[in-house]
Amino acid sequence: MQHKLDFVKEYLPRGNRVYMFGHGAGAYMLLSILPYIKDDFNLRKAVCLFPTIEKMNESPHGIRLRKVVSTLRQNDWLARTLSFWVDLMPESLKRKIISMKLTSDQNCPELVDSISELLHMHVFRNIVHLCNDELEKIGTLDETLLFHKNLIYFYYGTNDGWCPIEQGNQMNERLARGHVVLEKDSVEHSFVFRDAATMAEKVLQFIV
């Protein structure tokens, strides 16, 4: 979070209107740094997409993965053993596999290259570390995250394994009308792979 705060203070324009978005655990980070930046920038909205800001280890995905990531975190040799082969895979094969998973309108060279750069053993180990850290630290909702209710907006998915729709219904009772959106399009939590165009339209609605 300190890294995010330092980045914002150094690079965000102070004169222009600013709309900030956080996805998943990024929403937790966004709400955490909000008190430290709201007076320094012309911040109009802080939008949390599919926000994992509470009870992460009790979510469907959290229950399914917490023992796995904990085991891999405590046994780094196992994480290395499971992922070392990715570093040995030819880049052409990586790109072919990635292309097979993308839809035709998303299968552009830039996206394939970006994903290919992430298919490495050390990236997998970092993911294990971060996921374990998030599962341990994001527990009962910290009400101080919601202190600046006039700036905060939430977008919840109906079939999100990380933040169930029940959390969205509860948040809808905490915030003013229009500050919580409960989507109805069955967009996935990891929307960049299959629902990027849909979410682009949703995000635009928070700005215009």
Side-chain angles (χ1 to χ4, degrees):
M1 287 187 283
Q2 185 62 49
H3 174 267
K4 300 299 182 186
L5 181 58
D6 293 341
F7 180 89
V8 166
K9 289 185 174 181
E10 182 173 355
Y11 293 105
L12 276 192
R14 297 179 183 272
N16 299 335
R17 291 182 296 178
V18 174
Y19 297 83
M20 297 186 69
F21 292 81
H23 171 259
Y28 184 90
M29 296 183 189
L30 171 57
L31 296 178
S32 296
I33 69 173
L34 187 58
Y36 303 99
I37 62 175
K38 72 174 189 66
D39 295 328
D40 296 331
F41 299 92
N42 184 14
L43 184 61
R44 309 309 293 266
K45 290 181 181 178
V47 183
C48 302
L49 306 173
F50 304 92
T52 51
I53 63 172
E54 61 174 310
K55 300 178 180 177
M56 193 169 174
N57 63 353
E58 298 178 25
S59 67
H61 285 347
I63 293 173
R64 181 165 55 89
L65 293 176
R66 61 191 179 190
K67 289 184 178 180
V68 175
V69 295
S70 178
T71 299
L72 291 173
R73 180 73 182 94
Q74 296 173 20
N75 300 275
D76 187 55
W77 64 269
L78 180 57
R80 289 173 177 269
T81 301
L82 292 174
S83 57
F84 80 94
W85 58 272
V86 179
D87 289 355
L88 304 178
M89 187 184 299
E91 289 296 321
S92 58
L93 180 57
K94 287 184 184 180
R95 290 183 170 84
K96 184 175 181 179
I97 294 174
I98 294 168
S99 296
M100 292 171 59
K101 298 295 293 183
L102 297 175
T103 59
S104 58
D105 60 328
Q106 296 174 324
N107 203 344
C108 62
E110 293 80 9
L111 181 57
V112 173
D113 289 344
S114 296
I115 298 174
S116 177
E117 291 175 0
L118 297 176
L119 294 181
H120 290 282
M121 178 182 68
H122 292 305
V123 174
F124 175 73
R125 293 171 62 224
N126 287 339
I127 291 173
V128 168
H129 172 77
L130 288 172
C131 187
N132 188 70
D133 190 54
E134 292 165 1
L135 286 169
E136 289 182 351
K137 294 182 178 178
I138 303 179
T140 302
L141 178 64
D142 181 357
E143 295 287 348
T144 63
L145 295 175
L146 307 177
F147 186 74
H148 303 288
K149 294 183 177 181
N150 60 312
L151 294 174
I152 300 171
Y153 292 79
F154 287 94
Y155 187 96
Y156 286 87
T158 54
N159 299 308
D160 193 336
W162 286 113
C163 47
I165 195 64
E166 291 80 9
Q167 294 181 7
N169 292 326
Q170 294 169 4
M171 191 62 69
N172 200 23
E173 297 177 359
R174 289 187 176 98
L175 301 185
R177 183 177 181 180
H179 281 248
V180 177
V181 177
L182 307 176
E183 70 95 12
K184 301 178 181 179
D185 297 324
S186 298
V187 175
E188 296 181 358
H189 183 93
S190 302
F191 59 81
V192 292
F193 290 108
R194 300 191 182 280
D195 301 300
T198 300
M199 281 308 300
E201 295 180 1
K202 305 291 185 182
V203 167
L204 189 61
Q205 295 175 11
F206 287 104
I207 300 175
V208 297

